[in-house]
Amino acid sequence: MTLHQLQVFTTVAKLGSFTQAGKALRIGQPSVTALVRSLSRELGVQLFERFGVKSRLTGLGEEWLRLAEEILGTVEQAKQRIAEVSGRERGKILIGGSSSAASSFLPVAVQAFKKKHAGIEVTLKIERSEILERKLLEGELDTAVMGQLPRSPLLKAVPYREEEIVLIAPPKHPLGKRRSVSLKLIAKQPLIANGTGSYVRAGVEKRFAEIGLPFAPVLEVTDHMSGEAIKSAVASGLGIGFITKCHVLSDIEAGKLQVLKAPDLKLKRTMYLVVYKKRRSSPAVQTFVDFLRSIETALRAPEASK
């Protein structure tokens, strides 16, 4: 019996699907099946039974799930203890974030990290991407989360998460009643967008050009925190706008904005974890990076089960 087998088993149990467990763990479905079967044979019990496309725990499977979670929990506690001894739970780290990261997930992630790792002092600085690059190179930041690739070859960027670019409108906008809205129809609406040079603006302009449509916004927002300005302008009824979806989730839930279904848009932006290549990350910085990756994996798992 291995810890990997137990991790795979508990993931299948939580998602109710071997296929979805494989997606969440980033391994093939046949490997998931083989690992669970191997564990089942070793234990001498049937862990799952099939109900249509779903897999459900047997009575003995439920008992083993509780035991597996206890074992994995004990191992995690041991890892945390070792981390404390090795210095991963102590120190100071300086984190940078671009406006796109700052207005969505990063502040919440930093706050959650502080609660879990109270021994590490974290300072978060929100700046434009070019300033983040300079501070990384000058040693004023340990790592940064950015919405675009850095220009300097001395910086290493690793893809962290993808964010969908969506079209937003006021709650009662006529196009909101449609199952889908074509870009041809969208092009006839008053449009609100970032200023020239932004990642979202460049992506939208390119998509319009590919379809042979003009892109002429009635309002361009060039402010550093342009996301908030775009949301405010759209909510006020000045037009419809393009924005990264993570920026408007709370506004959608509150009924202040709605996302129009535009299948032709098909745009995403990648968020990157960026570090200076010549500087070795401290144990505390590595703890933060590992934490960011762990919460991103946890966020994807519920989506996989849908």
Side-chain angles (χ1 to χ4, degrees), residues 31 75 80 87 91 96 126 134 181 223 251 260 278 289:
S31 296
V75 171
Q80 291 180 6
I126 306 302
R134 176 177 59 78
V181 184
D223 184 75
D251 301 274
L260 300 181
K278 294 184 178 181
V289 171

mmCIF file with all atom_site columns, all heavy atoms in Angstrom, residues 31 75 80 87 91 96 126 134 181 223 251 260 278 289:
data_model
loop_
_atom_site.group_PDB
_atom_site.id
_atom_site.type_symbol
_atom_site.label_atom_id
_atom_site.label_alt_id
_atom_site.label_comp_id
_atom_site.label_asym_id
_atom_site.label_entity_id
_atom_site.label_seq_id
_atom_site.pdbx_PDB_ins_code
_atom_site.Cartn_x
_atom_site.Cartn_y
_atom_site.Cartn_z
_atom_site.occupancy
_atom_site.B_iso_or_equiv
_atom_site.pdbx_formal_charge
_atom_site.auth_seq_id
_atom_site.auth_comp_id
_atom_site.auth_asym_id
_atom_site.auth_atom_id
_atom_site.pdbx_PDB_model_num
ATOM 1   N N   . SER A 1 31  ? -4.662  4.555  -15.411 1.00 0.00 ? 31  SER A N   1
ATOM 2   C CA  . SER A 1 31  ? -3.761  4.489  -14.258 1.00 0.00 ? 31  SER A CA  1
ATOM 3   C C   . SER A 1 31  ? -4.549  4.560  -12.956 1.00 0.00 ? 31  SER A C   1
ATOM 4   O O   . SER A 1 31  ? -4.240  3.867  -11.979 1.00 0.00 ? 31  SER A O   1
ATOM 5   C CB  . SER A 1 31  ? -2.750  5.634  -14.320 1.00 0.00 ? 31  SER A CB  1
ATOM 6   O OG  . SER A 1 31  ? -1.913  5.513  -15.441 1.00 0.00 ? 31  SER A OG  1
ATOM 7   N N   . VAL A 1 75  ? 0.146   12.084 7.733   1.00 0.00 ? 75  VAL A N   1
ATOM 8   C CA  . VAL A 1 75  ? 1.322   12.356 6.904   1.00 0.00 ? 75  VAL A CA  1
ATOM 9   C C   . VAL A 1 75  ? 1.477   13.857 6.683   1.00 0.00 ? 75  VAL A C   1
ATOM 10  O O   . VAL A 1 75  ? 2.592   14.399 6.727   1.00 0.00 ? 75  VAL A O   1
ATOM 11  C CB  . VAL A 1 75  ? 1.213   11.615 5.554   1.00 0.00 ? 75  VAL A CB  1
ATOM 12  C CG1 . VAL A 1 75  ? 2.321   12.074 4.597   1.00 0.00 ? 75  VAL A CG1 1
ATOM 13  C CG2 . VAL A 1 75  ? 1.295   10.122 5.768   1.00 0.00 ? 75  VAL A CG2 1
ATOM 14  N N   . GLN A 1 80  ? 4.270   19.076 7.810   1.00 0.00 ? 80  GLN A N   1
ATOM 15  C CA  . GLN A 1 80  ? 4.274   20.424 8.374   1.00 0.00 ? 80  GLN A CA  1
ATOM 16  C C   . GLN A 1 80  ? 5.293   20.540 9.494   1.00 0.00 ? 80  GLN A C   1
ATOM 17  O O   . GLN A 1 80  ? 5.978   21.562 9.623   1.00 0.00 ? 80  GLN A O   1
ATOM 18  C CB  . GLN A 1 80  ? 2.878   20.785 8.862   1.00 0.00 ? 80  GLN A CB  1
ATOM 19  C CG  . GLN A 1 80  ? 1.861   20.983 7.749   1.00 0.00 ? 80  GLN A CG  1
ATOM 20  C CD  . GLN A 1 80  ? 0.488   21.343 8.267   1.00 0.00 ? 80  GLN A CD  1
ATOM 21  O OE1 . GLN A 1 80  ? 0.292   21.565 9.458   1.00 0.00 ? 80  GLN A OE1 1
ATOM 22  N NE2 . GLN A 1 80  ? -0.484  21.400 7.374   1.00 0.00 ? 80  GLN A NE2 1
ATOM 23  N N   . GLY A 1 87  ? 12.761  25.181 8.338   1.00 0.00 ? 87  GLY A N   1
ATOM 24  C CA  . GLY A 1 87  ? 12.707  26.609 8.055   1.00 0.00 ? 87  GLY A CA  1
ATOM 25  C C   . GLY A 1 87  ? 11.649  27.030 7.061   1.00 0.00 ? 87  GLY A C   1
ATOM 26  O O   . GLY A 1 87  ? 11.510  28.212 6.754   1.00 0.00 ? 87  GLY A O   1
ATOM 27  N N   . GLY A 1 91  ? 10.233  33.020 8.261   1.00 0.00 ? 91  GLY A N   1
ATOM 28  C CA  . GLY A 1 91  ? 10.875  33.924 7.325   1.00 0.00 ? 91  GLY A CA  1
ATOM 29  C C   . GLY A 1 91  ? 9.957   35.021 6.834   1.00 0.00 ? 91  GLY A C   1
ATOM 30  O O   . GLY A 1 91  ? 8.812   35.151 7.273   1.00 0.00 ? 91  GLY A O   1
ATOM 31  N N   . GLY A 1 96  ? 4.715   40.037 -5.363  1.00 0.00 ? 96  GLY A N   1
ATOM 32  C CA  . GLY A 1 96  ? 4.176   41.055 -6.257  1.00 0.00 ? 96  GLY A CA  1
ATOM 33  C C   . GLY A 1 96  ? 2.987   40.528 -7.027  1.00 0.00 ? 96  GLY A C   1
ATOM 34  O O   . GLY A 1 96  ? 2.867   39.322 -7.264  1.00 0.00 ? 96  GLY A O   1
ATOM 35  N N   . ILE A 1 126 ? 1.188   45.530 -5.128  1.00 0.00 ? 126 ILE A N   1
ATOM 36  C CA  . ILE A 1 126 ? 0.470   45.534 -6.402  1.00 0.00 ? 126 ILE A CA  1
ATOM 37  C C   . ILE A 1 126 ? 1.063   46.626 -7.296  1.00 0.00 ? 126 ILE A C   1
ATOM 38  O O   . ILE A 1 126 ? 1.087   47.798 -6.917  1.00 0.00 ? 126 ILE A O   1
ATOM 39  C CB  . ILE A 1 126 ? -1.034  45.783 -6.187  1.00 0.00 ? 126 ILE A CB  1
ATOM 40  C CG1 . ILE A 1 126 ? -1.600  44.776 -5.171  1.00 0.00 ? 126 ILE A CG1 1
ATOM 41  C CG2 . ILE A 1 126 ? -1.774  45.717 -7.505  1.00 0.00 ? 126 ILE A CG2 1
ATOM 42  C CD1 . ILE A 1 126 ? -1.417  43.340 -5.559  1.00 0.00 ? 126 ILE A CD1 1
ATOM 43  N N   . ARG A 1 134 ? 11.051  44.906 -12.865 1.00 0.00 ? 134 ARG A N   1
ATOM 44  C CA  . ARG A 1 134 ? 12.223  45.631 -12.351 1.00 0.00 ? 134 ARG A CA  1
ATOM 45  C C   . ARG A 1 134 ? 12.505  45.256 -10.901 1.00 0.00 ? 134 ARG A C   1
ATOM 46  O O   . ARG A 1 134 ? 13.665  45.018 -10.527 1.00 0.00 ? 134 ARG A O   1
ATOM 47  C CB  . ARG A 1 134 ? 11.997  47.147 -12.469 1.00 0.00 ? 134 ARG A CB  1
ATOM 48  C CG  . ARG A 1 134 ? 13.129  47.973 -11.873 1.00 0.00 ? 134 ARG A CG  1
ATOM 49  C CD  . ARG A 1 134 ? 12.905  49.453 -12.063 1.00 0.00 ? 134 ARG A CD  1
ATOM 50  N NE  . ARG A 1 134 ? 11.664  49.920 -11.467 1.00 0.00 ? 134 ARG A NE  1
ATOM 51  C CZ  . ARG A 1 134 ? 11.505  50.152 -10.164 1.00 0.00 ? 134 ARG A CZ  1
ATOM 52  N NH1 . ARG A 1 134 ? 12.500  49.932 -9.316  1.00 0.00 ? 134 ARG A NH1 1
ATOM 53  N NH2 . ARG A 1 134 ? 10.353  50.597 -9.702  1.00 0.00 ? 134 ARG A NH2 1
ATOM 54  N N   . VAL A 1 181 ? -24.801 35.088 -28.438 1.00 0.00 ? 181 VAL A N   1
ATOM 55  C CA  . VAL A 1 181 ? -24.700 36.378 -29.132 1.00 0.00 ? 181 VAL A CA  1
ATOM 56  C C   . VAL A 1 181 ? -23.483 36.322 -30.041 1.00 0.00 ? 181 VAL A C   1
ATOM 57  O O   . VAL A 1 181 ? -22.371 36.006 -29.596 1.00 0.00 ? 181 VAL A O   1
ATOM 58  C CB  . VAL A 1 181 ? -24.543 37.546 -28.134 1.00 0.00 ? 181 VAL A CB  1
ATOM 59  C CG1 . VAL A 1 181 ? -24.540 38.873 -28.877 1.00 0.00 ? 181 VAL A CG1 1
ATOM 60  C CG2 . VAL A 1 181 ? -25.658 37.520 -27.100 1.00 0.00 ? 181 VAL A CG2 1
ATOM 61  N N   . ASP A 1 223 ? -6.663  53.433 -17.112 1.00 0.00 ? 223 ASP A N   1
ATOM 62  C CA  . ASP A 1 223 ? -6.237  53.491 -15.719 1.00 0.00 ? 223 ASP A CA  1
ATOM 63  C C   . ASP A 1 223 ? -5.602  52.174 -15.292 1.00 0.00 ? 223 ASP A C   1
ATOM 64  O O   . ASP A 1 223 ? -5.931  51.104 -15.802 1.00 0.00 ? 223 ASP A O   1
ATOM 65  C CB  . ASP A 1 223 ? -7.443  53.794 -14.816 1.00 0.00 ? 223 ASP A CB  1
ATOM 66  C CG  . ASP A 1 223 ? -7.037  53.961 -13.358 1.00 0.00 ? 223 ASP A CG  1
ATOM 67  O OD1 . ASP A 1 223 ? -6.474  55.012 -13.017 1.00 0.00 ? 223 ASP A OD1 1
ATOM 68  O OD2 . ASP A 1 223 ? -7.268  53.026 -12.579 1.00 0.00 ? 223 ASP A OD2 1
ATOM 69  N N   . ASP A 1 251 ? -19.707 40.314 -8.660  1.00 0.00 ? 251 ASP A N   1
ATOM 70  C CA  . ASP A 1 251 ? -20.708 41.218 -9.233  1.00 0.00 ? 251 ASP A CA  1
ATOM 71  C C   . ASP A 1 251 ? -21.850 40.438 -9.882  1.00 0.00 ? 251 ASP A C   1
ATOM 72  O O   . ASP A 1 251 ? -23.011 40.855 -9.831  1.00 0.00 ? 251 ASP A O   1
ATOM 73  C CB  . ASP A 1 251 ? -20.049 42.131 -10.282 1.00 0.00 ? 251 ASP A CB  1
ATOM 74  C CG  . ASP A 1 251 ? -18.929 42.966 -9.694  1.00 0.00 ? 251 ASP A CG  1
ATOM 75  O OD1 . ASP A 1 251 ? -19.224 44.049 -9.160  1.00 0.00 ? 251 ASP A OD1 1
ATOM 76  O OD2 . ASP A 1 251 ? -17.776 42.535 -9.759  1.00 0.00 ? 251 ASP A OD2 1
ATOM 77  N N   . LEU A 1 260 ? -22.639 37.815 -21.031 1.00 0.00 ? 260 LEU A N   1
ATOM 78  C CA  . LEU A 1 260 ? -23.330 37.449 -22.260 1.00 0.00 ? 260 LEU A CA  1
ATOM 79  C C   . LEU A 1 260 ? -22.654 36.220 -22.868 1.00 0.00 ? 260 LEU A C   1
ATOM 80  O O   . LEU A 1 260 ? -21.429 36.097 -22.845 1.00 0.00 ? 260 LEU A O   1
ATOM 81  C CB  . LEU A 1 260 ? -23.283 38.613 -23.265 1.00 0.00 ? 260 LEU A CB  1
ATOM 82  C CG  . LEU A 1 260 ? -23.918 39.926 -22.805 1.00 0.00 ? 260 LEU A CG  1
ATOM 83  C CD1 . LEU A 1 260 ? -23.823 40.968 -23.910 1.00 0.00 ? 260 LEU A CD1 1
ATOM 84  C CD2 . LEU A 1 260 ? -25.374 39.725 -22.402 1.00 0.00 ? 260 LEU A CD2 1
ATOM 85  N N   . LYS A 1 278 ? 18.435  33.779 -11.459 1.00 0.00 ? 278 LYS A N   1
ATOM 86  C CA  . LYS A 1 278 ? 19.723  33.677 -10.779 1.00 0.00 ? 278 LYS A CA  1
ATOM 87  C C   . LYS A 1 278 ? 19.595  33.639 -9.258  1.00 0.00 ? 278 LYS A C   1
ATOM 88  O O   . LYS A 1 278 ? 20.589  33.483 -8.556  1.00 0.00 ? 278 LYS A O   1
ATOM 89  C CB  . LYS A 1 278 ? 20.625  34.852 -11.184 1.00 0.00 ? 278 LYS A CB  1
ATOM 90  C CG  . LYS A 1 278 ? 21.035  34.840 -12.652 1.00 0.00 ? 278 LYS A CG  1
ATOM 91  C CD  . LYS A 1 278 ? 22.006  35.961 -12.957 1.00 0.00 ? 278 LYS A CD  1
ATOM 92  C CE  . LYS A 1 278 ? 22.461  35.923 -14.411 1.00 0.00 ? 278 LYS A CE  1
ATOM 93  N NZ  . LYS A 1 278 ? 23.441  37.003 -14.709 1.00 0.00 ? 278 LYS A NZ  1
ATOM 94  N N   . VAL A 1 289 ? 4.766   29.265 -2.938  1.00 0.00 ? 289 VAL A N   1
ATOM 95  C CA  . VAL A 1 289 ? 4.514   28.780 -4.293  1.00 0.00 ? 289 VAL A CA  1
ATOM 96  C C   . VAL A 1 289 ? 3.748   27.455 -4.256  1.00 0.00 ? 289 VAL A C   1
ATOM 97  O O   . VAL A 1 289 ? 2.790   27.253 -5.001  1.00 0.00 ? 289 VAL A O   1
ATOM 98  C CB  . VAL A 1 289 ? 5.842   28.616 -5.060  1.00 0.00 ? 289 VAL A CB  1
ATOM 99  C CG1 . VAL A 1 289 ? 5.613   27.904 -6.402  1.00 0.00 ? 289 VAL A CG1 1
ATOM 100 C CG2 . VAL A 1 289 ? 6.482   29.979 -5.299  1.00 0.00 ? 289 VAL A CG2 1
#
